[in-house]
Amino acid sequence: LGSSGWRWRDISNDDDDMHPAAAGMADGVHLLGFSDEILLHILSHVPSTDLILNVRRTCRKLAALCLDKSLIHTVLLQKDYQASEDKVRQLVKEIGREIQQLSMAGCYWLPGSTVEHVARCRSLVKVNLSGCHLTSLRLSKMLSALQHLRSLAIDVSPGFDASQLSSECKATLSRVRELKQTLFTPSYGVVPCCTSLEKLLLYFEILDRTREGAILSGQLMVGQSNVPHYQNLRVFYARLAPGYINQEVVRLYLAVLSDRTPQNLHAFLISVPGSFAESGATKNLLDSMARNVVLDALQLPKSWLNGSSLLQHMKFNNPFYFSFSRCTLSGGHLIQQVINGGKDLRSLASLNLSGCVHCLSPDSLLRKAEDDIDSSILETLVASCCNLRHLNLSAAHHHSSEGLGRHLCQLLARLRHLRSLSLPVCSVADSAPRADRAPAQPAMHAVPRGFGKKVRVGVQSCPSPFSGQAGPQPSSVFWSLLKNLPFLEHLELIGSNFSSAMPRNEPAIRNSLPPCSRAQSVGDSEVAAIGQLAFLRHLTLAQLPSVLTGSGLVNIGLQCQQLRSLSLANLGMMGKVVYMPALSDMLKHCKRLRDLRLEQPYFSANAQFFQALSQCPSLQRLCLVSRSGTLQPDAVLAFMARCLQVVMCHLFTGESLATCKSLQQSLLRSFQAERPALNVVVFPLLHEGLTDVIRDVPLVHLDEITLFKSRVAEEPPNLWW
């Protein structure tokens, strides 16, 4: 049995290519009877370590197929949590010379001495080492041997010293065309050595203070080589974590761009949380871009766009990605400056309007957040961008008015190519509450709306909430939207006023804003409608106050069999978790679920919860965030013993520091040896030391699951391989 769960029968080393015991199955049908093409497709889903170290040794036919170029030219070790030091070294030893593309992204558990073995893969053209531990000297030694390298991803950590890079290493870097660099310290990293750069991706993860409390400054970069070579640059992308130091350092990178903007630049993207003031250099850069370049992808800090006429001066050619996240862009400006009055934008694949509270109204100055949208603006957007695959409209109040065929859901249903969609909860409500509207029939609404006393209406005509048959209302606009988007893979329903209790680099949030009044009309039946999405892989539900029984969750568990990641936050009434039985029932059907994030005040992580969670055999990562929540240490230990694939367990509750430390130590002591990638954090959510604890979490976990955020259209499609 391989670590991936694939089972192959032992075959004796006789002269037969296929021993009868190889894969004997009923009625004489056996796996190895398939064509090589089909077998290669099957083998492509087996982790490389399993493929080479286990499957290849079963019989001669598989031994030959496992060494096919289509399987060994590209080796992906990211999220292969069973890839131990010995396995990686043996893999490189056996097929290292054949590997042309290697990704070890997020392999934080491998020591530098193991990562260093990449130097044996001398045919490498692309290598991703983000999240791996590498010193300047080890990086130099490794890159010196990789003369064919053209694409590189690395981390730049405290202690990095570019002066330790050898001339052979710099020669390799001079040929690199694509560079992804994650900065944990103020530095230019290897950028000045990369004289042929065409694509530069920068992730700024620098903390304002060191562990000792010293304040960091971008002035630490003074004296380092500061001549990045941008003349051939086609793609510039920068993503900043919160903190002034990240803004200070990115300005140093941008300074060279402002002096001379590359003529071939076609994608310019800067993602900044909060405000990022314009400077003289950035204004010069934007003016130069407006005059000299034609873009197909754009994202700018909100303060650079707000109140400016920049967009109308920018030139675009077949754009595929726009992000105006958190900008005060009005619908009028969106139509006039971006869509150009209804211009054909069939090339646009991804659009992020998250936090653009006025983007669907004609005038941002006169509109209140809760006012109805102008459906004609959305209609123009949908007609012009008819091939959209990724759309984010979250973090805003997009309320639809009465009118046949003019509801937001009805208009979005025309975007048949959508694969990922993020919406505010209030936007899927059928219509505004009206005093003259007749009360709903009991058969259609089995639960009340709001936070009031729980009184079931029409119980006798409603199916059991845990039977999985709590069907959606076929007449609802949300049900119709999902019916028209059957191939949707990623769906987010996030309350307009939702904010996670665990923000980045700050103390936990103790209070939260109340949900939008329109969200009171979205409950269990709307959640049940999601069960129509047979291809759904990623689901986020946050701040749905009218989820009272959670019966819709069971529907999702039964019908969304491809579900890989699930994030639930603040469902139902905040003071009491009433959907626990339904969640337990749902989880037993989630056989492919790998990631679960649950954020709910007063949540009791007891034996019942962990017993239900144990029925998810593919589960790898768990994050629980619960203000005033409790947990049972024995239940956690039993769960980890049963679920052998779990490598990340983050529990932030209301338990005492002593209880948390004791449980964390017990988990590491019991399971660390057999799970090399195990990452355990158990800590009080409201403790003042939370920020220091978070800084030690591997970025791959922190970014993908521990911290809550909307991920639809967060980055351009295929930004990195």
Side-chain angles (χ1 to χ4, degrees):
L1 178 66
S3 61
S4 66
W6 287 75
R7 186 179 296 276
W8 302 86
R9 304 183 87 178
D10 262 339
I11 312 257
S12 58
N13 293 323
D14 55 20
D15 292 334
D16 295 327
D17 282 339
M18 273 192 315
H19 192 282
M25 298 174 68
D27 301 323
V29 178
H30 49 74
L31 179 66
L32 298 184
F34 290 124
S35 67
D36 288 358
E37 184 180 6
I38 293 176
L39 286 174
L40 285 172
H41 179 73
I42 294 173
L43 293 172
S44 69
H45 294 277
V46 181
S48 297
T49 49
D50 250 359
L51 192 72
I52 301 302
L53 305 182
N54 294 323
V55 179
R56 187 165 71 97
R57 292 177 167 80
T58 56
C59 70
R60 293 187 179 184
K61 180 166 185 174
L62 289 176
L65 288 175
C66 287
L67 293 179
D68 187 86
K69 292 181 179 180
S70 65
L71 298 179
I72 63 174
H73 276 188
T74 299
V75 172
L76 308 177
L77 296 180
Q78 78 267 25
K79 297 188 180 178
D80 182 359
Y81 298 117
Q82 304 301 322
S84 62
E85 296 179 48
D86 292 340
K87 287 182 178 180
V88 172
R89 293 186 183 196
Q90 188 64 27
L91 176 74
V92 170
K93 181 180 179 181
E94 296 200 20
I95 64 168
R97 292 186 178 275
E98 305 297 327
I99 302 175
Q100 295 182 1
Q101 301 184 57
L102 172 65
S103 178
M104 298 176 67
C107 291
Y108 54 86
W109 62 92
L110 295 176
S113 57
T114 299
V115 179
E116 192 178 37
H117 279 63
V118 171
R120 297 184 178 184
C121 307
R122 296 181 180 271
S123 299
L124 273 180
V125 177
K126 293 185 175 184
V127 63
N128 189 341
L129 301 174
S130 297
C132 295
H133 302 289
L134 277 177
T135 63
S136 307
L137 288 174
R138 280 205 164 106
L139 178 66
S140 178
K141 180 181 178 181
M142 184 180 66
L143 293 183
S144 297
L146 305 179
Q147 299 181 10
H148 302 288
L149 196 66
R150 297 296 181 270
S151 179
L152 172 67
I154 58 169
D155 288 355
V156 177
S157 301
F160 178 86
D161 185 357
S163 66
Q164 295 180 338
L165 303 179
S166 67
S167 58
E168 293 84 0
C169 170
K170 291 179 179 178
T172 295
L173 288 170
S174 70
R175 294 185 288 269
V176 167
R177 296 173 184 170
E178 300 177 351
L179 175 65
K180 177 183 177 183
Q181 192 168 257
T182 304
L183 296 157
F184 294 94
T185 188
S187 173
Y188 289 107
V190 299
V191 171
C193 301
C194 301
T195 57
S196 303
L197 275 183
E198 296 179 7
K199 177 187 285 189
L200 177 59
L201 276 58
L202 299 169
Y203 292 76
F204 296 86
E205 297 289 338
I206 312 167
L207 294 173
D208 291 344
R209 294 176 180 269
T210 64
R211 293 183 184 277
E212 295 74 27
I215 299 176
L216 288 176
S217 169
Q219 294 302 313
L220 294 175
M221 296 170 66
V222 174
Q224 298 182 23
S225 174
N226 60 352
V227 189
H229 298 272
Y230 292 151
Q231 62 269 21
N232 298 318
L233 206 62
R234 295 173 57 81
V235 176
F236 181 89
Y237 175 86
R239 192 190 78 177
L240 283 65
Y244 78 91
I245 183 65
N246 291 309
Q247 297 188 12
E248 187 178 349
V249 174
V250 77
R251 289 188 190 279
L252 296 174
Y253 278 86
L254 291 172
V256 177
L257 272 178
S258 65
D259 291 338
R260 184 178 179 183
T261 307
Q263 292 184 348
N264 293 325
L265 190 68
H266 70 85
F268 186 78
L269 309 118
I270 301 181
S271 173
V272 182
S275 61
F276 183 38
E278 267 191 302
S279 64
T282 56
K283 287 181 179 178
N284 292 338
L285 170 60
L286 295 175
D287 290 342
S288 177
M289 287 173 55
R291 290 193 308 268
N292 302 317
V293 302
V294 179
L295 298 175
D296 58 24
L298 178 67
Q299 178 177 9
L300 295 176
K302 64 178 182 179
S303 55
W304 295 13
L305 284 176
N306 291 349
S308 77
S309 58
L310 176 66
L311 284 178
Q312 69 186 74
H313 298 298
M314 287 285 186
K315 294 184 285 290
F316 302 105
N317 181 35
N318 295 324
F320 68 90
Y321 178 79
F322 283 141
S323 176
F324 303 111
S325 179
R326 297 182 295 276
C327 293
T328 56
L329 186 71
S330 72
H333 288 149
L334 180 67
I335 298 300
Q336 296 165 16
Q337 300 180 12
V338 180
I339 303 178
N340 195 17
K343 180 183 177 182
D344 181 6
L345 284 179
R346 283 182 290 182
S347 60
L348 196 66
S350 185
L351 178 61
N352 190 340
L353 296 173
S354 172
C356 294
V357 297
H358 305 297
C359 68
L360 298 181
S361 63
D363 195 330
S364 60
L365 297 178
L366 303 177
R367 181 182 186 267
K368 296 180 180 178
E370 63 275 10
D371 287 347
D372 290 343
I373 64 171
D374 184 338
S375 57
S376 64
I377 293 175
L378 182 58
E379 197 163 13
T380 302
L381 175 67
V382 168
S384 302
C385 310
C386 56
N387 290 325
L388 271 179
R389 296 176 65 85
H390 314 283
L391 176 62
N392 194 327
L393 294 172
S394 65
H397 297 269
H398 294 316
H399 300 166
S400 298
S401 57
E402 295 286 349
L404 188 62
R406 309 288 285 176
H407 193 283
L408 177 140
C409 289
Q410 293 171 316
L411 295 173
L412 293 183
R414 302 176 188 177
L415 296 173
R416 300 301 178 91
H417 298 284
L418 276 181
R419 294 297 179 268
S420 64
L421 177 63
S422 182
L423 295 174
V425 174
C426 55
S427 72
V428 305
D430 266 16
S431 57
R434 277 174 36 187
D436 60 343
R437 178 170 297 159
Q441 295 300 314
M444 295 298 290
H445 297 281
V447 294
R449 307 304 183 190
F451 293 104
K453 184 179 179 181
K454 292 182 290 181
V455 179
R456 297 294 302 277
V457 180
V459 163
Q460 68 277 10
S461 60
C462 186
S464 167
F466 312 128
S467 66
Q469 301 301 317
Q473 303 168 34
S475 60
S476 75
V477 289
F478 184 57
W479 186 91
S480 299
L481 169 64
L482 300 186
K483 181 182 179 181
N484 283 281
L485 303 176
F487 300 109
L488 205 64
E489 298 176 2
H490 190 163
L491 176 64
E492 296 177 346
L493 274 185
I494 304 175
S496 306
N497 295 331
F498 176 75
S499 58
S500 173
M502 236 176 80
R504 184 74 182 271
N505 299 342
E506 298 173 16
I509 295 176
R510 297 170 184 266
N511 300 307
S512 57
L513 293 172
C516 172
S517 60
R518 290 274 187 107
Q520 308 288 350
S521 301
V522 181
D524 292 307
S525 60
E526 283 76 19
V527 173
I530 299 171
Q532 299 176 88
L533 303 176
F535 297 96
L536 190 67
R537 298 169 68 90
H538 310 281
L539 175 63
T540 295
L541 300 174
Q543 202 180 41
L544 279 76
S546 289
V547 170
L548 297 182
T549 66
S551 55
L553 295 174
V554 185
N555 213 42
I556 295 171
L558 282 168
Q559 300 186 50
C560 301
Q561 290 294 300
Q562 302 300 319
L563 195 63
R564 298 294 195 275
S565 67
L566 176 64
S567 177
L568 304 176
N570 292 10
L571 303 188
M573 295 183 295
M574 298 295 288
K576 186 178 181 182
V577 184
V578 294
Y579 62 90
M580 186 62 214
L583 177 62
S584 298
D585 204 8
M586 174 197 190
L587 290 174
K588 71 182 181 183
H589 303 294
C590 298
K591 302 304 181 185
R592 293 180 174 85
L593 188 67
R594 296 176 183 174
D595 297 339
L596 175 63
R597 186 186 192 278
L598 188 57
E599 179 169 342
Q600 188 79 34
Y602 304 99
F603 189 86
S604 176
N606 54 23
Q608 176 194 2
F609 169 69
F610 283 108
Q611 178 64 40
L613 201 55
S614 299
Q615 299 183 70
C616 301
S618 302
L619 193 69
Q620 295 178 331
R621 300 191 290 186
L622 169 66
C623 179
L624 175 63
V625 179
S626 182
R627 177 169 48 85
S628 303
T630 61
L631 55 82
Q632 293 181 6
D634 291 345
V636 180
L637 287 164
F639 156 72
M640 289 292 287
R642 287 191 296 264
C643 293
L644 305 180
Q645 304 294 323
V646 176
V647 294
M648 191 207 91
C649 182
H650 291 179
L651 305 174
F652 304 98
T653 64
E655 295 288 355
S656 68
L657 182 61
T659 299
C660 292
K661 281 188 173 181
S662 175
L663 176 56
Q664 180 171 317
Q665 291 170 359
S666 297
L667 289 169
L668 291 172
R669 186 170 55 249
S670 300
F671 306 107
Q672 183 82 71
E674 60 193 43
R675 305 182 200 185
L678 184 64
N679 183 256
V680 175
V681 180
V682 186
F683 204 76
L685 177 63
L686 300 181
H687 194 279
E688 60 184 7
L690 178 65
T691 302
D692 292 331
V693 170
I694 288 295
R695 70 187 297 167
D696 292 326
V697 174
L699 188 59
V700 63
H701 297 324
L702 192 66
D703 194 51
E704 293 181 1
I705 181 169
T706 306
L707 297 176
F708 182 95
K709 62 178 176 178
S710 175
R711 293 178 168 82
V712 171
E714 180 186 17
E715 294 181 341
N718 306 316
L719 183 62
W720 196 252
W721 61 284

